[in-house]
Amino acid sequence: MNPEFEPSTLWRISAFDRLREQAAQGELRGLERQTVLSTTLQAELTALERKQEAGDALEVIAACVRLQEPALVYLAFEDLVWPVTLFPAQMLYHSPRTLLEASETGLATLATLSVEPAGVRPPGHPMRERIASDATYRPLAPALWRLALHGPRSRLLGEIAGTAAYRVLRHPRVDNLPLPGALGPSADRLRREAASLRSLSDWPGMSVERGARLLNALYLTANLMVTRSHPAARPEPAQSLFGRKPR
């Protein structure tokens, strides 16, 4: 864990599990709340369960973003529980701590524990009750970008996977998003030409995993054009057990 990271505002997973057990047994009075997600989001989460990807934090968050559905996502971060309420329509999230403080090592362990309806409302909502303090709302795009580049998912999100070609709509630097190493030149090139992940992975300094992470990050920040019929479209390359493209 980052030595400057202060975990005191987050639960231990063991304490979170005990709280859920007590709630399930009806021992916690006064904590009743809406427990039903929208049918569209629930359908997406059920589909992830069938594919055994319900714990994939990036896929779960991507579903919320794609459907523009607010939701409270409990994330397992090392031995802690990190509650994050997503507001995709406002491109904000609510959390006791900013996800930008999380170490890359910690982000690599991230998993979804559960998803619930949002317990707070976004700033500016006409119904002012359950709007939290301004300091606990944060920009969503930088968090999505960091999760895509450093989280546990090393392959394309299901929504953009398969036979396709990709094109960047605007340079990520316009949105102040970091592009370490070969990601910068690759984003530049994707502004000029469409390319498949297979082609992208062969560019200098790139690989299948780096390409997939960049494309996921671009997609989650509404900065990716995906075309299935472009002449450059190619099937998604296979990955070895070590995340490298077999030759």
Side-chain angles (χ1 to χ4, degrees):
M1 183 179 296
N2 185 335
E4 297 181 358
F5 180 80
E6 175 52 59
S8 61
T9 53
L10 305 179
W11 290 320
R12 295 287 174 182
I13 288 180
S14 57
F16 178 74
D17 287 340
R18 284 196 302 273
L19 190 67
R20 287 204 296 181
E21 287 176 9
Q22 291 175 318
Q25 295 168 5
E27 297 175 11
L28 298 178
R29 304 300 179 187
L31 293 183
E32 293 81 5
R33 49 167 296 172
Q34 179 189 359
T35 58
V36 180
L37 295 166
S38 73
T39 54
T40 50
L41 179 55
Q42 187 59 63
E44 292 265 357
L45 298 178
T46 301
L48 289 176
E49 288 178 4
R50 286 198 298 266
K51 295 188 290 184
Q52 298 185 326
E53 292 188 333
D56 189 316
L58 203 65
E59 279 284 17
V60 169
I61 290 170
C64 297
V65 171
R66 182 167 58 253
L67 298 173
Q68 295 286 281
E69 290 276 1
L72 168 58
V73 182
Y74 289 105
L75 299 171
F77 173 82
E78 298 178 336
D79 63 341
L80 301 172
V81 178
W82 201 320
V84 176
T85 303
L86 304 168
F87 297 107
Q90 293 80 18
M91 283 305 287
L92 295 172
Y93 71 99
H94 171 272
S95 177
R97 305 201 64 82
T98 170
L99 287 166
L100 300 184
E101 291 181 353
S103 67
E104 293 179 12
T105 302
L107 288 176
T109 72
L110 214 62
T112 302
L113 293 172
S114 67
V115 183
E116 299 180 2
V120 295
R121 294 190 172 108
H125 194 282
M127 300 176 67
R128 298 192 57 80
E129 64 272 17
R130 293 198 286 121
I131 295 178
S133 65
D134 290 345
T136 56
Y137 294 95
R138 313 171 196 281
L140 183 56
L144 295 175
W145 188 263
R146 186 167 171 77
L147 290 176
L149 293 188
H150 304 296
R153 189 175 182 92
S154 61
R155 63 192 189 282
L156 286 176
L157 289 162
E159 186 72 11
I160 62 173
T163 299
Y166 307 93
R167 186 84 180 262
V168 172
L169 300 174
R170 62 188 181 279
H171 201 287
R173 291 196 185 94
V174 173
D175 300 319
N176 296 315
L177 298 172
L179 287 162
L183 299 188
S186 296
D188 281 332
R189 188 167 171 180
L190 284 171
R191 284 278 290 128
R192 301 190 302 270
E193 62 183 271
S196 65
L197 175 57
R198 185 180 297 273
S199 297
L200 173 60
S201 67
D202 283 329
W203 292 355
M206 295 298 287
S207 65
V208 173
E209 177 177 339
R210 288 175 183 165
R213 287 181 178 278
L214 175 61
L215 294 173
N216 286 342
L218 291 165
Y219 169 71
L220 289 172
T221 53
N223 193 12
L224 186 69
M225 180 185 296
V226 183
T227 57
R228 305 290 181 179
S229 58
H230 193 281
R234 296 290 183 275
E236 180 183 353
Q239 289 181 300
S240 74
L241 293 176
F242 303 101
R244 293 190 296 268
K245 181 176 62 177
R247 297 291 183 183

